[in-house]
Coordinates of all heavy atoms in Angstrom, one line a residue:
P1 N 0.7 -1.3 0.0 CA 0.0 0.0 0.0 C 0.8 1.3 -0.1 O 0.3 2.4 -0.3 CB -0.8 -0.1 1.3 CG -0.2 -1.2 2.1 CD 0.7 -2.0 1.2
E2 N 2.1 1.2 0.3 CA 3.0 2.5 0.4 C 3.0 3.1 -0.9 O 2.9 4.4 -0.9 CB 4.5 2.1 0.8 CG 4.6 1.7 2.3 CD 4.3 0.1 2.6 OE1 4.1 -0.5 1.7 OE2 4.2 -0.2 3.7
S3 N 3.2 2.5 -2.0 CA 3.3 3.2 -3.3 C 1.9 3.9 -3.6 O 2.0 4.9 -4.1 CB 3.7 2.2 -4.4 OG 2.7 1.2 -4.6
V4 N 0.9 3.2 -3.4 CA -0.5 3.9 -3.7 C -0.6 5.1 -2.8 O -1.2 6.2 -3.2 CB -1.6 2.9 -3.4 CG1 -2.9 3.5 -3.5 CG2 -1.4 1.7 -4.4
L5 N -0.3 5.0 -1.5 CA -0.5 6.1 -0.5 C 0.5 7.3 -1.0 O 0.0 8.5 -0.9 CB -0.1 5.6 0.8 CG -1.1 4.6 1.5 CD1 -0.6 4.2 2.9 CD2 -2.5 5.2 1.6
A6 N 1.7 7.0 -1.3 CA 2.7 8.1 -1.7 C 2.2 8.7 -3.1 O 2.3 10.0 -3.1 CB 4.0 7.3 -1.9
H7 N 1.6 7.9 -3.9 CA 1.0 8.6 -5.2 C 0.1 9.5 -4.8 O -0.1 10.5 -5.6 CB 0.5 7.4 -6.0 CG -0.1 8.0 -7.1 ND1 0.6 8.5 -8.3 CD2 -1.5 8.1 -7.4 CE1 -0.3 8.8 -9.3 NE2 -1.6 8.6 -8.8
H8 N -0.7 9.5 -3.7 CA -1.7 10.5 -3.2 C -1.3 11.4 -2.3 O -2.1 12.0 -1.5 CB -2.9 9.6 -2.7 CG -3.7 8.9 -3.9 ND1 -4.5 9.5 -4.8 CD2 -3.7 7.7 -4.1 CE1 -4.9 8.6 -5.8 NE2 -4.5 7.4 -5.2
G9 N 0.1 11.5 -2.0 CA 0.6 12.5 -1.1 C 0.6 12.0 0.3 O 0.8 12.7 1.3
M10 N 0.3 10.7 0.5 CA 0.4 10.2 2.0 C 1.7 9.5 2.2 O 2.0 8.5 1.5 CB -0.9 9.3 2.2 CG -2.1 9.9 2.1 SD -2.5 11.1 3.4 CE -3.4 12.4 2.4
N11 N 2.3 9.8 3.3 CA 3.7 9.1 3.5 C 3.7 8.3 4.8 O 4.7 7.8 5.1 CB 4.7 10.3 3.5 CG 5.0 10.9 2.2 OD1 5.1 10.3 1.2 ND2 4.7 12.2 2.4
G12 N 2.6 8.3 5.5 CA 2.7 7.4 6.8 C 1.2 7.0 7.0 O 0.2 7.6 6.4
Y13 N 1.0 6.0 7.7 CA -0.2 5.4 8.0 C -0.1 4.5 9.3 O 1.0 4.0 9.7 CB -0.8 4.5 7.1 CG -0.1 3.3 6.5 CD1 -0.4 2.1 7.1 CD2 1.0 3.3 5.7 CE1 0.3 0.9 6.9 CE2 1.6 2.1 5.4 CZ 1.2 1.0 6.0 OH 1.9 -0.2 5.7
A14 N -1.3 4.4 10.0 CA -1.4 3.6 11.1 C -2.7 2.7 10.9 O -3.7 3.3 10.4 CB -1.4 4.2 12.3
V15 N -2.8 1.6 11.2 CA -3.8 0.7 11.0 C -4.1 0.0 12.4 O -3.3 -0.6 13.0 CB -3.7 -0.5 10.2 CG1 -4.9 -1.4 10.0 CG2 -3.2 0.1 8.8
V16 N -5.5 0.3 13.0 CA -5.7 -0.1 14.3 C -7.1 -1.1 14.0 O -8.0 -0.7 13.4 CB -6.2 1.0 15.2 CG1 -6.6 0.5 16.6 CG2 -5.1 2.1 15.2
P17 N -7.0 -2.3 14.7 CA -8.2 -3.3 14.5 C -9.3 -2.9 15.3 O -9.1 -2.2 16.3 CB -7.6 -4.6 15.0 CG -6.4 -4.1 16.0 CD -5.8 -2.8 15.5
I18 N -10.5 -3.1 14.8 CA -11.7 -3.0 15.6 C -12.2 -4.4 16.0 O -12.5 -5.1 15.1 CB -12.8 -2.2 14.7 CG1 -12.2 -0.9 14.3 CG2 -14.2 -2.0 15.5 CD1 -13.2 -0.3 13.3
E19 N -12.2 -4.6 17.4 CA -12.5 -6.0 17.7 C -13.6 -6.0 18.7 O -13.7 -5.1 19.5 CB -11.2 -6.6 18.3 CG -10.0 -6.7 17.5 CD -8.8 -7.2 18.1 OE1 -8.5 -6.9 19.3 OE2 -7.9 -7.7 17.4
I20 N -14.5 -7.0 18.5 CA -15.5 -7.2 19.6 C -15.2 -8.6 20.2 O -15.3 -9.7 19.5 CB -16.9 -7.2 18.8 CG1 -17.3 -5.9 18.3 CG2 -17.9 -7.7 19.9 CD1 -18.5 -5.8 17.5
G21 N -14.8 -8.6 21.4 CA -14.3 -9.8 21.9 C -13.1 -10.3 21.3 O -12.1 -9.5 21.1
E22 N -13.0 -11.5 20.8 CA -11.9 -12.1 20.0 C -12.1 -11.9 18.6 O -11.2 -12.3 17.8 CB -11.7 -13.6 20.4 CG -11.4 -13.9 21.8 CD -10.0 -13.3 22.2 OE1 -9.1 -13.3 21.5 OE2 -10.0 -12.7 23.4
E23 N -13.2 -11.2 18.2 CA -13.6 -11.3 16.7 C -13.1 -9.9 16.1 O -13.5 -8.8 16.6 CB -15.0 -11.5 16.4 CG -15.4 -11.5 15.0 CD -16.8 -11.6 14.7 OE1 -17.6 -11.9 15.7 OE2 -17.3 -11.6 13.6
R24 N -12.3 -9.9 15.1 CA -11.9 -8.7 14.4 C -13.0 -8.3 13.4 O -13.3 -9.0 12.4 CB -10.6 -8.8 13.7 CG -10.2 -7.6 13.0 CD -8.7 -7.6 12.7 NE -7.8 -7.7 13.8 CZ -6.7 -8.1 13.9 NH1 -6.1 -8.4 12.8 NH2 -6.0 -8.2 15.1
V25 N -13.6 -7.2 13.6 CA -14.8 -6.8 12.8 C -14.4 -5.8 11.8 O -15.2 -5.4 10.9 CB -16.1 -6.3 13.5 CG1 -16.5 -7.6 14.5 CG2 -15.7 -5.2 14.4
G26 N -13.2 -5.2 11.8 CA -12.9 -4.2 10.8 C -11.5 -3.6 11.3 O -10.9 -4.0 12.2
M27 N -11.1 -2.8 10.5 CA -9.8 -2.0 10.6 C -10.0 -0.6 10.3 O -10.7 -0.1 9.6 CB -8.6 -2.5 9.6 CG -8.5 -4.0 9.6 SD -7.8 -4.6 11.2 CE -6.2 -4.2 10.8
L28 N -9.3 0.3 11.2 CA -9.4 1.7 11.2 C -8.1 2.2 10.6 O -7.0 2.0 11.2 CB -9.7 2.2 12.5 CG -10.3 3.6 12.6 CD1 -11.6 3.8 11.8 CD2 -10.7 4.0 14.1
W29 N -8.0 2.9 9.5 CA -6.8 3.3 8.7 C -6.7 4.7 9.0 O -7.8 5.6 8.9 CB -7.0 3.1 7.3 CG -6.6 1.7 6.9 CD1 -7.4 0.5 7.1 CD2 -5.5 1.1 6.3 NE1 -6.9 -0.6 6.6 CE2 -5.7 -0.2 6.0 CE3 -4.3 1.7 5.8 CZ2 -4.9 -1.1 5.4 CZ3 -3.4 0.9 5.1 CH2 -3.7 -0.5 4.9
F30 N -5.6 5.3 9.5 CA -5.3 6.6 9.5 C -4.1 7.0 8.6 O -3.0 6.2 8.8 CB -5.0 7.0 11.0 CG -6.1 6.7 11.9 CD1 -6.3 5.4 12.5 CD2 -7.1 7.8 12.2 CE1 -7.4 5.3 13.4 CE2 -8.1 7.5 13.0 CZ -8.3 6.3 13.6
L31 N -4.1 8.0 7.9 CA -3.3 8.5 6.9 C -2.5 9.8 7.3 O -3.3 10.6 8.0 CB -3.8 8.6 5.6 CG -4.5 7.4 5.1 CD1 -5.1 7.6 3.7 CD2 -3.7 6.0 5.0
A32 N -1.3 9.9 7.1 CA -0.6 11.2 7.3 C 0.3 11.7 6.1 O 0.9 10.7 5.4 CB 0.3 11.0 8.6
Q33 N 0.3 12.9 5.9 CA 1.2 13.4 4.8 C 2.6 13.4 5.3 O 3.6 13.3 4.5 CB 0.7 14.9 4.5 CG -0.5 14.8 3.8 CD -1.2 16.2 3.3 OE1 -0.7 17.2 4.0 NE2 -1.8 16.3 2.3
E34 N 3.0 13.5 6.5 CA 4.2 13.5 7.1 C 4.9 12.1 7.2 O 4.1 11.1 7.3 CB 4.3 14.2 8.5 CG 3.8 15.5 8.7 CD 2.2 15.5 8.8 OE1 1.6 14.6 9.2 OE2 1.7 16.5 8.5
T35 N 6.2 12.1 6.9 CA 6.8 10.8 7.2 C 7.2 10.7 8.6 O 7.4 11.6 9.3 CB 8.2 10.8 6.3 OG1 8.0 11.4 5.1 CG2 8.7 9.4 5.9
G36 N 7.3 9.3 9.0 CA 7.7 9.1 10.4 C 6.5 8.3 11.2 O 5.6 8.0 10.6
R37 N 6.8 8.2 12.4 CA 6.0 7.5 13.4 C 4.9 8.4 13.9 O 5.2 9.7 14.1 CB 6.6 6.8 14.4 CG 7.6 5.7 13.8 CD 8.5 5.0 15.1 NE 9.2 4.0 14.5 CZ 9.1 2.8 14.8 NH1 8.2 2.4 15.5 NH2 10.0 1.9 14.3
F38 N 3.8 7.8 14.2 CA 2.8 8.6 15.0 C 3.2 8.6 16.4 O 3.8 7.7 17.0 CB 1.4 8.0 14.9 CG 0.6 8.1 13.7 CD1 0.9 7.2 12.5 CD2 -0.2 9.1 13.4 CE1 0.2 7.4 11.4 CE2 -0.9 9.2 12.2 CZ -0.8 8.4 11.2
P39 N 3.0 9.9 17.0 CA 3.4 9.9 18.5 C 2.5 8.8 19.4 O 1.5 8.5 19.0 CB 3.1 11.3 18.9 CG 2.9 12.2 17.6 CD 2.5 11.0 16.6
R40 N 3.3 8.6 20.4 CA 2.5 7.6 21.4 C 1.1 8.0 21.8 O 0.1 7.3 21.8 CB 3.3 7.3 22.5 CG 2.8 6.3 23.5 CD 3.8 6.1 24.6 NE 5.2 5.7 24.1 CZ 5.7 4.8 24.6 NH1 5.3 3.9 25.4 NH2 6.9 4.5 24.0
E41 N 0.9 9.4 22.0 CA -0.2 9.9 22.4 C -1.4 9.7 21.3 O -2.5 9.4 21.7 CB -0.1 11.3 22.9 CG 0.7 11.6 24.1 CD 2.1 11.7 23.6 OE1 2.5 11.8 22.5 OE2 3.0 11.6 24.5
T42 N -0.9 9.9 20.1 CA -1.9 9.9 18.9 C -2.3 8.3 18.9 O -3.4 8.0 18.7 CB -1.1 10.3 17.7 OG1 -0.8 11.5 17.9 CG2 -2.0 10.1 16.5
I43 N -1.3 7.4 18.9 CA -1.8 5.8 18.9 C -2.6 5.6 19.9 O -3.6 4.8 19.6 CB -0.4 5.0 19.0 CG1 0.5 5.3 17.8 CG2 -0.7 3.7 19.1 CD1 0.0 5.0 16.4
S44 N -2.5 6.1 21.1 CA -3.3 5.7 22.3 C -4.8 6.4 21.9 O -5.8 5.6 22.2 CB -2.8 6.4 23.5 OG -1.8 5.7 24.1
L45 N -4.9 7.5 21.4 CA -6.1 8.1 20.9 C -6.8 7.2 19.9 O -7.9 7.0 19.9 CB -5.9 9.4 20.6 CG -7.2 10.2 19.9 CD1 -8.2 10.5 21.0 CD2 -6.8 11.6 19.4
L46 N -5.9 6.7 18.9 CA -6.6 6.0 17.8 C -7.2 4.6 18.3 O -8.2 4.1 17.9 CB -5.4 5.8 16.8 CG -4.9 6.9 16.1 CD1 -3.8 6.6 15.0 CD2 -5.9 7.7 15.4
I47 N -6.3 4.0 19.3 CA -6.8 2.7 19.8 C -8.2 3.1 20.6 O -9.1 2.2 20.5 CB -5.6 2.2 20.7 CG1 -4.5 1.6 19.9 CG2 -6.3 1.1 21.6 CD1 -3.4 1.3 20.7
S48 N -8.2 4.1 21.3 CA -9.5 4.4 22.1 C -10.6 4.6 21.1 O -11.7 4.2 21.4 CB -9.2 5.7 23.0 OG -10.4 6.2 23.6
M49 N -10.3 5.2 20.1 CA -11.3 5.5 19.0 C -11.9 4.1 18.4 O -13.2 3.9 18.3 CB -11.0 6.4 17.8 CG -10.7 7.8 18.3 SD -9.9 8.8 17.0 CE -10.9 8.7 15.7
A50 N -10.9 3.2 18.2 CA -11.3 1.9 17.7 C -12.2 1.0 18.6 O -13.0 0.4 18.3 CB -10.0 1.1 17.4
N51 N -11.8 1.3 20.0 CA -12.5 0.6 21.1 C -13.9 1.1 21.1 O -15.0 0.4 21.4 CB -11.9 0.7 22.3 CG -10.5 -0.1 22.4 OD1 -10.4 -1.0 21.7 ND2 -9.5 0.4 23.4
Q52 N -14.1 2.4 21.0 CA -15.4 3.1 21.0 C -16.2 2.6 19.9 O -17.4 2.4 20.0 CB -15.3 4.7 21.1 CG -14.7 5.1 22.5 CD -14.5 6.6 22.4 OE1 -15.3 7.3 21.8 NE2 -13.6 7.1 23.3
L53 N -15.6 2.5 18.7 CA -16.4 2.1 17.5 C -16.8 0.7 17.8 O -17.9 0.4 17.3 CB -15.5 2.3 16.3 CG -15.4 3.6 15.6 CD1 -14.4 3.6 14.5 CD2 -16.8 3.9 15.1
A54 N -15.9 -0.3 18.4 CA -16.3 -1.6 18.6 C -17.5 -1.7 19.6 O -18.4 -2.6 19.2 CB -15.0 -2.2 19.3
M55 N -17.5 -0.8 20.5 CA -18.7 -0.7 21.4 C -19.9 -0.3 20.7 O -21.1 -0.9 20.9 CB -18.5 0.2 22.7 CG -17.4 -0.5 23.6 SD -17.2 0.4 25.2 CE -17.8 2.1 25.0
I56 N -19.9 0.7 19.9 CA -20.9 1.1 19.0 C -21.5 0.1 18.1 O -22.8 -0.2 18.0 CB -20.6 2.3 18.2 CG1 -20.4 3.6 19.1 CG2 -21.7 2.7 17.1 CD1 -19.8 4.7 18.6
I57 N -20.7 -0.6 17.5 CA -21.0 -1.8 16.6 C -21.7 -2.9 17.3 O -22.6 -3.5 16.9 CB -19.9 -2.3 15.8 CG1 -19.2 -1.1 14.9 CG2 -20.1 -3.5 15.1 CD1 -17.9 -1.5 14.3
E58 N -21.1 -3.2 18.5 CA -21.6 -4.3 19.4 C -23.1 -3.9 19.7 O -24.0 -4.8 19.7 CB -20.7 -4.6 20.5 CG -21.2 -5.7 21.4 CD -20.2 -6.0 22.4 OE1 -19.4 -5.1 23.0 OE2 -20.1 -7.1 22.8
N59 N -23.3 -2.6 20.2 CA -24.6 -2.3 20.7 C -25.6 -2.2 19.4 O -26.8 -2.6 19.6 CB -24.6 -0.8 21.3 CG -23.9 -0.9 22.6 OD1 -23.9 -1.9 23.3 ND2 -23.4 0.3 22.9
L60 N -25.2 -1.8 18.3 CA -26.1 -1.9 17.0 C -26.4 -3.2 16.7 O -27.6 -3.6 16.4 CB -25.4 -1.2 15.8 CG -25.3 0.4 16.1 CD1 -24.4 0.9 14.8 CD2 -26.6 1.0 16.0
L61 N -25.4 -4.2 16.8 CA -25.7 -5.5 16.5 C -26.8 -6.1 17.4 O -27.7 -6.8 17.1 CB -24.4 -6.5 16.5 CG -23.5 -6.2 15.3 CD1 -22.2 -6.9 15.5 CD2 -24.1 -6.6 14.0
Y62 N -26.6 -5.8 18.8 CA -27.5 -6.4 19.8 C -29.0 -5.8 19.5 O -29.9 -6.4 19.7 CB -27.0 -5.9 21.2 CG -27.9 -6.1 22.3 CD1 -28.2 -7.5 22.7 CD2 -28.7 -5.1 22.9 CE1 -29.0 -7.9 23.8 CE2 -29.6 -5.5 23.9 CZ -29.9 -6.8 24.3 OH -30.7 -7.1 25.4
A63 N -29.0 -4.4 19.1 CA -30.3 -3.8 18.9 C -31.0 -4.4 17.6 O -32.1 -4.6 17.6 CB -30.2 -2.3 18.7
Q64 N -30.1 -4.6 16.7 CA -30.7 -5.3 15.5 C -31.2 -6.7 15.7 O -32.4 -7.0 15.3 CB -29.5 -5.4 14.5 CG -30.0 -6.0 13.2 CD -28.9 -6.0 12.2 OE1 -27.7 -6.2 12.5 NE2 -29.2 -6.0 10.9
A65 N -30.5 -7.5 16.6 CA -30.9 -8.8 17.0 C -32.3 -8.7 17.8 O -33.1 -9.5 17.5 CB -30.0 -9.6 17.7
R66 N -32.4 -7.7 18.8 CA -33.6 -7.6 19.4 C -34.8 -7.1 18.6 O -35.9 -7.7 18.7 CB -33.5 -6.6 20.5 CG -32.6 -7.1 21.7 CD -32.8 -6.4 23.0 NE -34.3 -6.3 23.2 CZ -34.7 -5.6 24.3 NH1 -33.9 -5.0 25.1 NH2 -36.0 -5.5 24.5
L67 N -34.5 -6.3 17.6 CA -35.6 -5.9 16.8 C -36.2 -7.1 15.8 O -37.3 -7.1 15.6 CB -35.2 -4.8 15.8 CG -35.0 -3.4 16.5 CD1 -34.4 -2.4 15.6 CD2 -36.4 -2.8 17.0
A68 N -35.1 -7.8 15.5 CA -35.5 -9.0 14.6 C -36.3 -10.0 15.4 O -37.4 -10.6 14.9 CB -34.3 -9.7 14.0
A69 N -36.0 -10.1 16.7 CA -36.7 -11.2 17.6 C -38.1 -10.7 17.8 O -39.0 -11.4 17.8 CB -35.9 -11.3 18.9
E70 N -38.3 -9.4 18.0 CA -39.6 -8.7 18.2 C -40.4 -8.8 17.0 O -41.7 -9.1 17.0 CB -39.4 -7.2 18.6 CG -38.8 -7.1 20.0 CD -38.6 -5.7 20.4 OE1 -39.3 -4.8 19.7 OE2 -37.9 -5.4 21.4
A71 N -39.8 -8.7 15.8 CA -40.6 -8.8 14.6 C -41.0 -10.3 14.4 O -42.2 -10.5 13.9 CB -39.7 -8.4 13.3
D72 N -40.1 -11.2 14.8 CA -40.5 -12.7 14.7 C -41.8 -13.0 15.6 O -42.6 -13.7 15.1 CB -39.3 -13.5 15.0 CG -38.3 -13.6 13.9 OD1 -38.7 -13.2 12.8 OD2 -37.2 -14.1 14.2
K73 N -41.7 -12.3 16.8 CA -42.8 -12.6 17.8 C -44.1 -12.0 17.1 O -45.1 -12.7 17.3 CB -42.5 -11.8 19.1 CG -41.7 -12.5 20.0 CD -41.6 -11.8 21.3 CE -40.4 -12.2 22.2 NZ -40.3 -11.5 23.3
R74 N -44.1 -10.8 16.7 CA -45.2 -10.2 15.9 C -45.8 -11.1 14.9 O -47.0 -11.2 14.8 CB -44.9 -8.7 15.5 CG -44.8 -7.7 16.6 CD -44.9 -6.4 16.0 NE -43.8 -6.1 15.2 CZ -42.6 -5.6 15.5 NH1 -42.4 -5.4 16.8 NH2 -41.7 -5.3 14.8
T75 N -45.0 -11.6 14.0 CA -45.4 -12.5 13.0 C -46.0 -13.7 13.5 O -47.0 -14.2 13.1 CB -44.1 -12.7 12.1 OG1 -43.5 -11.7 11.5 CG2 -44.6 -13.6 10.9
F76 N -45.4 -14.3 14.5 CA -45.9 -15.5 15.1 C -47.4 -15.3 15.7 O -48.2 -16.0 15.4 CB -44.9 -16.0 16.3 CG -45.6 -17.2 16.9 CD1 -45.5 -18.5 16.5 CD2 -46.1 -17.0 18.3 CE1 -46.0 -19.5 17.2 CE2 -46.6 -18.0 19.0 CZ -46.5 -19.4 18.4
Y77 N -47.5 -14.2 16.6 CA -48.8 -14.0 17.0 C -49.9 -13.4 16.0 O -50.9 -13.9 16.2 CB -48.7 -12.9 18.2 CG -48.1 -13.4 19.4 CD1 -46.8 -12.9 19.8 CD2 -48.6 -14.5 20.1 CE1 -46.2 -13.4 21.0 CE2 -47.9 -15.1 21.1 CZ -46.8 -14.5 21.5 OH -46.2 -15.0 22.8
K78 N -49.4 -12.9 14.9 CA -50.3 -12.5 13.8 C -50.7 -13.7 13.1 O -51.9 -13.7 12.8 CB -49.5 -11.5 12.9 CG -50.3 -11.1 11.7 CD -49.5 -10.1 10.9 CE -50.2 -9.9 9.5 NZ -49.2 -9.2 8.6
D79 N -49.9 -14.6 12.9 CA -50.3 -15.8 12.2 C -51.0 -16.9 13.0 O -51.6 -17.8 12.5 CB -49.1 -16.4 11.5 CG -48.4 -15.6 10.5 OD1 -49.1 -14.7 9.9 OD2 -47.2 -15.9 10.1
A80 N -50.9 -16.6 14.3 CA -51.7 -17.7 15.2 C -53.1 -17.5 15.2 O -53.8 -16.6 15.0 CB -51.2 -17.4 16.5

């Protein structure tokens, strides 16, 4: 990916996994025009953002499952 990023003026990047439990559900990519490493404080912030996104995704999946279960109940009682 370095050559593609450099072609677009990006010289640095960090990739942080988004994980729910042991399952990796995505990756968060951060690009930088500067060359070099991201500062430790920035990496901590990026990890915190990925963790917050994981919680949001987990909550959305839970809400989606509850809505689907409620819809199934309504269908069951409607057909009964």
Side-chain angles (χ1 to χ4, degrees):
E2 288 87 2
S3 61
V4 174
L5 296 176
H7 176 74
H8 293 285
M10 298 295 148
N11 297 308
Y13 66 93
V15 182
V16 182
I18 301 171
E19 298 175 331
I20 298 174
E22 297 294 319
E23 181 182 0
R24 183 166 294 160
V25 295
M27 304 293 281
L28 202 52
W29 284 68
F30 297 91
L31 306 176
Q33 293 178 328
E34 300 84 21
T35 323
R37 296 177 181 249
F38 284 88
R40 182 179 304 237
E41 297 81 15
T42 302
I43 296 296
S44 293
L45 176 65
L46 301 180
I47 291 169
S48 176
M49 290 171 61
N51 290 338
Q52 290 178 26
L53 280 171
M55 287 188 341
I56 291 168
I57 293 168
E58 187 174 27
N59 289 338
L60 287 171
L61 291 172
Y62 176 74
Q64 183 181 29
R66 288 205 45 186
L67 288 173
E70 288 176 19
D72 287 345
K73 280 184 197 176
R74 283 193 299 272
T75 302
F76 174 77
Y77 289 117
K78 179 182 168 189
D79 293 343

